[in-house]
Amino acid sequence: MPTSGTPEDRAAAAEPQPPLLTDAERDTLLEQYGCGPVRFSGSENALYERHLMFDHVVDPAAAAPRDRFEAVARSVRDVLSQRWVRTQDTYAARDPKRVYYLSLEFLLGRSLSDNIGNLMLAPVVRRAVAAKGVDWTAILEQEPDAGLGNGGLGRLAACFIESMATLQLPAMGYGLRYEYGMFSQDIVGGWQHERPDNWLRRPDPWEVARPDEMVEVRLGCSFEVRGGSLAVIPGRPSSLYGLPYDRPVVGYGGRTINTLRLWAATAPDEFDFHAFSSGEFVSALAAQLSAESLTRVLYPDDSTSAGQGLRFVQEYFLVACSIADIVRRFRAGNDDWHTLPDKAAIQLNDTHPALAVPELLRVLLDEARLGWDEAWDITVRTLAYTNHTLLPEALERWPRQWFAALLPRHLELVVEIDRRLRDDVGRRFPGDEGRLSRTSLFEPGQTEKVRMANLAIVGSHSTNGVAALHSQLLRTETVADLAAVFPERFGNKTNGVTPRRWLLGANPPLAAVITEAIGPGWITDLDQLARLRPLADDAAFRAAILTAKRDAKQRFADWLRDRHGMAVDPDGIFDTQVKRIHEYKRQLLNALRIIALYQDLRADPGRVVQPRTFFFAGKAAPAYRFAKLVIKFLNNLAETIDADPLVRGRLKVVFLPDYSVSLAERVIPASDVSNQISTAGYEASGTSNMKFMMNGALTIGTRDGATIEMAEAASEETFFLFGLTAAQVADTRGWYNPRWHIEHEPRTRAVLDLLTSGHFNRDEAGIFDPLIESLTGSDHYMLLADLGSYLDADARLTALYADPDGWARTAIANIAASGRFSSDRTISEYATEIWGVTPCPVD
Ligand code: 26V
């Protein structure tokens, strides 16, 4: 019997719960998936009840919501498992060239609803839920987010593997099975507090452990737990093991089911009997403890790569396990090593897995016994690299000594790669010493470092950025010297997002309106959204779009009330900025805008305006003090405005705690306005910008990342662009002075005055001084340079909102132009231009 849960849960549990899927329904589905019916005997033959009974050993009538979630998920897994096996068998039999996507992060979010959607089981589930009165939302809410990533880069990896499966590409993702994902964020007194995210506390129904495919990873040193932390013992080689856990990646339509393989670190099973018998029982166990702590936790800092030794070992561990696995799969069907680049394309998601360069080279030299030239050629032709940030502090540079201690053989190889690179550069640019030192894999200094971006570029055949501007800056500024050596390697692949999760799944009201208008073809061919363009002139369609947005806002407002006890007005403008808290993303600039609007309203208490709610959400790296102070400021701003009777009902600020994929799925469809306001040149691409666009929000933003291409696609008149361009930011840097703006712009001055007056920290004197000092000091990210034009753009935006017809037209123009930002398009480009892979349909 359940001992916890709400009274409603217990009441629902007391009702006999009929099965969600009957055998007949399952058989039809299995037939549809080409698997043929599988028969069970006995009366408990419905999948869902079988799982409750046999996996959970509970009376189905008395099942708690969590049991029900697991039983439903297991039922879905049953439906897909034969198809999953068949996909793998097809690849083994046809042996096509495959893609391997290596990433330290996969920010998957929840899987149940997505898998049901992609397997096209939604109508079956809907029918069963309606017939049996199950609280479906409660079941979905039981699934924890798989938060195995920090932000954009990790979520991109998740969208990409879904698109690869949908496009029927023979692909596989490789990552780490962190026991603790991205921390949970609590807001206490306005401050961020971090709580560990123990997402695997309960068994995860999607993963399948594969102990038979365990991989040994050899290291040049040992580790010992000393005083609670890991100490390195150089010169004493050791091994640990990678235990693979596979997760299904369901393509839309359920025809292809690829695999995401996540590695967990573990110590050898055998005890060190010597240590055991000599009475060192605890230290024998400690070996196990230290091995397993390697994949314990995701690093929650996405901007500083300094001083994280364990992170370096994590990166090597992912690389060593994955390369061994890829090579094993290759060797199963091929005996000629030279054909590896015809059979495998390995994509490196940022430099995090860049150790794949020396690792693959090592395998080809030391295991395959090839000569340097052929081994190097194979390595370069197999690997490709994507850069995701230009921020200098986020570019990985690992101390040479760490290589020496942990990976001495790899260091030898890196030294030799560097020697040959110097020869090459020296020949092509004689006498250019500056270029030699800038292109080198080694960065001199007190602690000599290995530049991982240079290693990735030199050791692969393709380097791409993630939006046109970003790729151009990467090539012409950040690594210009290397780009001059290998110009043919550089390209661009503008990011995309999966429309299955971000439109079909997240926004049922809008998806229904679109399907009603143009049929369901857009789900796998997002360019078809262009057919909505002419419907901007159709009053009924405009009304339907506005109604869908109003529905989505109402759903979100209801959720906010139920979940957080907060009241927001769905008839007002929902204006949103959700992303990691970073100085360059300029949440503080958004706050300055809100202060200006707040002052306008205070100055004119009688003015009737569109009520407006500003939503923020995002996590700060635990050690990033400035970003944490910005969170505190946003919360104080919210509180001050709430307490001010002069603006009540007209203006509200909400900081939504614990931003996650699931929260994004709620807030993005409900938003009217998307803020994409990074200092131009700093946001590599952005991907939430695309999600907002396809959900009918209008963008107010800078000319940065993919926002530039979005505005091009929809036409600039449908965007609210403002601020300095990347070129202007670069040109202004040398002489920029924020004080000029304070002195010459009354609105900017008024905002700074109110901030400095302590209006937002009445009982907390001085706490926001670092923010004020930053703004009035160097203002590195040039917030004050853009505040004036942000406010101008904002005025144009609110004027349009007052004209619902005009707004609907603009929203339709945006949705209709968002097709290019499907990750299906991005992945098709990678497939043809970088990987050379083609679909391998499973019949
Ligand atoms: C860096 C580090 C460095 C230290 C250890 C942990 C860690 C984790 C992640 C990162 C890199 C973060 C880079 C990133 O997320 N870039 C974002 O990538 C998105 C997908 O391409 C893109 O849309 C965003 O603009 C970009 O900021």
Side-chain angles (χ1 to χ4, degrees):
M1 287 296 286
T3 53
S4 60
T6 64
E8 291 75 20
D9 284 337
R10 286 194 291 275
E15 295 281 316
Q17 294 289 320
L20 284 180
L21 292 173
T22 65
D23 267 5
E25 286 166 329
R26 184 207 58 215
D27 286 353
T28 316
L29 280 164
L30 289 175
E31 219 126 43
Q32 184 193 328
Y33 291 120
C35 302
V38 180
R39 303 238 161 261
F40 298 107
S41 56
S43 58
E44 301 293 348
N45 62 352
L47 286 174
Y48 167 73
E49 289 205 348
R50 282 179 58 84
H51 283 294
L52 283 175
M53 182 60 86
F54 298 116
D55 299 352
H56 297 261
V57 198
V58 294
D59 178 351
R66 170 70 204 195
D67 293 329
R68 288 193 223 156
F69 157 68
E70 279 179 38
V72 176
R74 286 262 184 238
S75 308
V76 172
R77 210 182 86 185
D78 289 351
V79 172
L80 66 79
S81 58
Q82 286 164 303
R83 194 75 202 169
W84 192 6
V85 170
R86 185 190 283 233
T87 304
Q88 306 316 312
D89 288 350
T90 304
Y91 297 163
R94 301 224 192 107
D95 195 26
K97 180 169 183 179
R98 304 204 213 177
V99 188
Y100 299 104
Y101 197 83
L102 266 60
S103 178
L104 266 284
E105 305 191 5
F106 286 92
L107 190 43
L108 300 171
R110 290 178 174 146
S111 293
L112 178 57
S113 180
D114 233 45
N115 285 346
I116 287 173
N118 279 11
L119 289 166
M120 313 240 253
L121 291 179
V124 181
V125 172
R126 215 174 294 127
R127 237 181 304 130
V129 166
K132 289 140 197 172
V134 181
D135 184 351
W136 182 240
T137 314
I139 290 181
L140 292 177
E141 290 280 315
Q142 290 298 315
E143 181 172 12
D145 269 44
L148 311 184
N150 273 282
L153 165 144
R155 183 53 233 174
L156 186 78
C159 284
F160 276 10
I161 54 175
E162 195 271 354
S163 275
M164 290 183 226
T166 295
L167 292 169
Q168 310 194 5
L169 295 176
M172 186 151 172
Y174 281 110
L176 293 183
R177 181 181 179 269
Y178 302 108
E179 228 171 288
Y180 293 85
M182 188 62 197
F183 64 81
S184 304
Q185 179 194 57
D186 292 319
I187 301 297
V188 183
W191 296 97
Q192 166 176 297
H193 284 212
E194 301 94 25
R195 220 171 354 101
D197 163 42
N198 191 3
W199 74 293
L200 288 172
R201 191 180 4 232
R202 308 276 213 123
D204 184 283
W206 304 113
E207 66 179 16
V208 182
R210 305 273 189 208
D212 294 346
E213 297 182 47
M214 195 121 94
V215 169
E216 182 180 0
V217 176
R218 294 169 198 268
L219 303 172
C221 60
S222 305
F223 298 92
E224 241 177 44
V225 185
R226 283 197 199 138
S229 63
L230 271 188
V232 176
I233 306 157
R236 197 211 291 169
S238 65
S239 280
L240 52 135
Y241 287 83
L243 173 59
Y245 284 83
D246 288 351
R247 308 175 74 83
V249 182
V250 181
Y252 188 74
R255 302 193 66 79
T256 291
I257 300 181
N258 285 336
T259 301
L260 171 60
R261 174 160 282 197
L262 301 180
W263 300 99
T266 161
D269 264 348
E270 320 87 61
F271 255 98
D272 180 341
F273 279 106
H274 178 70
F276 183 58
S277 56
S278 63
E280 293 180 38
F281 177 70
V282 172
S283 59
L285 263 181
Q288 196 133 4
L289 282 182
S290 58
E292 270 140 22
S293 58
L294 183 59
T295 48
R296 190 87 72 212
V297 59
L298 165 80
Y299 273 91
D301 187 338
D302 63 349
S303 59
T304 38
S305 90
Q308 303 170 330
L310 194 65
R311 165 82 181 185
F312 181 60
V313 189
Q314 282 185 340
E315 294 186 355
Y316 179 62
F317 178 74
L318 168 67
V319 160
C321 293
S322 309
I323 295 285
D325 206 48
I326 292 166
V327 164
R328 178 171 57 192
R329 198 165 293 109
F330 168 71
R331 296 292 288 165
N334 305 274
D335 44 26
D336 181 0
W337 286 95
H338 297 91
T339 62
L340 181 66
D342 307 324
K343 290 295 174 188
I346 301 177
Q347 189 69 34
L348 308 178
N349 199 23
D350 217 301
T351 55
H352 313 157
L355 286 167
V357 174
E359 175 68 4
L360 182 54
L361 184 60
R362 184 192 66 76
V363 169
L364 295 169
L365 291 169
D366 300 351
E367 294 177 20
R369 305 244 148 241
L370 301 182
W372 181 280
D373 288 339
E374 44 187 358
W376 180 245
D377 176 66
I378 293 169
T379 301
V380 170
R381 288 200 292 130
T382 304
L383 299 175
Y385 155 62
T386 305
N387 173 283
H388 293 269
T389 180
L390 303 179
L391 287 185
E393 63 271 29
L395 291 181
E396 291 189 299
R397 285 146 36 247
W398 295 117
R400 183 179 177 140
Q401 293 103 296
W402 294 5
F403 275 81
L406 191 80
L407 306 170
R409 176 62 176 143
H410 296 74
L411 180 57
E412 280 176 13
L413 299 181
V414 174
V415 167
E416 178 59 13
I417 298 168
D418 187 60
R419 193 188 65 74
R420 288 168 181 253
L421 174 68
R422 284 171 170 276
D423 279 358
D424 201 13
V425 175
R427 253 195 319 275
R428 289 159 74 169
F429 301 91
D432 193 344
E433 285 300 317
R435 184 181 301 267
L436 262 187
S437 78
R438 289 189 300 269
T439 52
S440 172
L441 303 189
F442 292 99
E443 184 177 87
Q446 259 206 333
T447 33
E448 199 185 354
K449 306 267 179 65
V450 178
R451 296 172 173 143
M452 301 306 282
N454 291 24
L455 178 61
I457 293 166
V458 173
S460 66
H461 65 94
S462 162
T463 291
N464 73 280
V466 289
L469 171 65
H470 165 66
S471 296
Q472 183 215 321
L473 292 173
L474 177 69
R475 189 168 43 80
T476 59
E477 309 275 344
T478 316
V479 293
D481 296 289
L482 267 182
V485 181
F486 306 110
E488 72 291 347
R489 293 188 183 180
F490 282 74
N492 171 58
K493 295 286 166 280
T494 298
N495 282 164
V497 303
T498 169
R500 271 74 63 184
R501 180 178 289 262
W502 295 108
L503 182 47
L504 182 64
N507 198 344
L510 181 59
V513 169
I514 295 172
T515 301
E516 171 84 10
I518 60 172
W522 61 272
I523 297 168
T524 50
D525 176 14
L526 205 64
D527 284 332
Q528 288 193 24
L529 291 182
R531 293 165 54 202
L532 297 173
R533 184 78 257 243
L535 299 181
D537 295 326
D538 176 339
F541 186 73
R542 289 199 302 274
I545 288 289
L546 293 176
T547 306
K549 180 59 79 181
R550 181 64 176 69
D551 284 358
K553 290 164 78 173
Q554 186 69 57
R555 284 159 72 118
F556 183 60
D558 292 347
W559 176 83
L560 256 186
R561 184 199 55 220
D562 296 346
R563 176 68 200 267
H564 293 290
M566 255 181 235
V568 294
D569 175 5
D571 286 318
I573 306 175
F574 281 7
D575 182 304
T576 307
Q577 186 179 15
V578 286
K579 47 185 80 249
R580 283 300 286 256
I581 312 292
H582 251 289
E583 280 162 286
Y584 84 81
K585 292 177 188 283
R586 303 199 294 189
Q587 281 90 357
L588 186 55
L589 173 60
N590 191 346
L592 299 181
R593 171 185 64 144
I594 296 168
I595 295 173
L597 300 174
Y598 168 62
Q599 286 177 308
D600 290 348
L601 292 182
R602 274 164 61 93
D604 189 356
R607 189 151 110 220
V608 181
V609 290
Q610 291 285 347
R612 204 160 168 192
T613 305
F614 295 91
F615 293 102
F616 290 91
K619 294 175 183 175
Y624 193 168
R625 293 175 59 173
F626 192 92
K628 293 177 105 169
L629 190 57
V630 169
I631 292 177
K632 169 64 175 164
F633 183 66
L634 296 173
N635 280 294
N636 277 28
L637 180 64
E639 205 178 344
T640 308
I641 288 177
D642 268 349
D644 191 334
L646 288 178
V647 299
R648 191 157 304 144
R650 298 191 291 171
L651 193 65
K652 186 168 178 65
V653 174
V654 174
F655 188 93
L656 303 160
D658 202 27
Y659 189 50
S660 64
V661 172
S662 291
L663 180 54
E665 287 167 9
R666 295 179 188 286
V667 69
I668 291 173
S671 297
D672 300 300
V673 180
S674 159
N675 284 268
Q676 306 296 336
I677 58 173
S678 50
T679 314
Y682 283 86
E683 188 68 88
S685 162
T687 42
S688 78
N689 47 0
M690 303 167 183
K691 297 164 195 168
F692 280 104
M693 184 190 195
M694 55 184 73
N695 279 283
L698 304 193
T699 304
I700 183 165
T702 48
R703 292 174 176 82
D704 201 13
T707 303
I708 298 173
E709 292 158 70
M710 288 162 39
E712 261 166 30
S715 95
E716 286 218 0
E717 301 80 77
T718 67
F719 269 62
F720 297 85
L721 298 180
F722 69 89
L724 300 180
T725 62
Q728 289 167 335
V729 166
D731 291 346
T732 313
R733 265 257 170 264
W735 47 266
Y736 176 66
N737 179 5
R739 299 215 150 265
W740 187 93
H741 296 278
I742 299 173
E743 280 152 24
H744 293 87
E745 297 170 355
R747 290 182 302 182
T748 304
R749 183 166 53 250
V751 167
L752 263 293
D753 284 347
L754 191 63
L755 182 54
T756 319
S757 76
H759 185 76
F760 302 103
N761 51 319
R762 295 223 171 279
D763 306 319
E764 298 164 304
I767 59 164
F768 297 131
D769 288 356
L771 305 184
I772 298 164
E773 280 157 22
S774 166
L775 290 169
T776 58
S778 72
D779 189 19
H780 182 74
Y781 292 102
M782 302 188 179
L783 281 68
L784 298 195
D786 284 350
L787 179 57
S789 60
Y790 191 12
L791 289 170
D792 295 342
D794 190 84
R796 298 199 298 277
L797 187 94
T798 45
L800 183 62
Y801 197 81
D803 163 22
D805 253 4
W807 186 276
R809 282 177 189 280
T810 316
I812 293 166
N814 267 264
I815 298 168
S818 69
R820 185 175 145 63
F821 304 100
S822 164
S823 44
D824 298 345
R825 188 269 312 149
T826 314
I827 287 299
S828 305
E829 291 177 6
Y830 276 92
T832 52
E833 295 163 29
I834 299 178
W835 302 331
V837 297
T838 51
C840 180
V842 182
D843 39 45

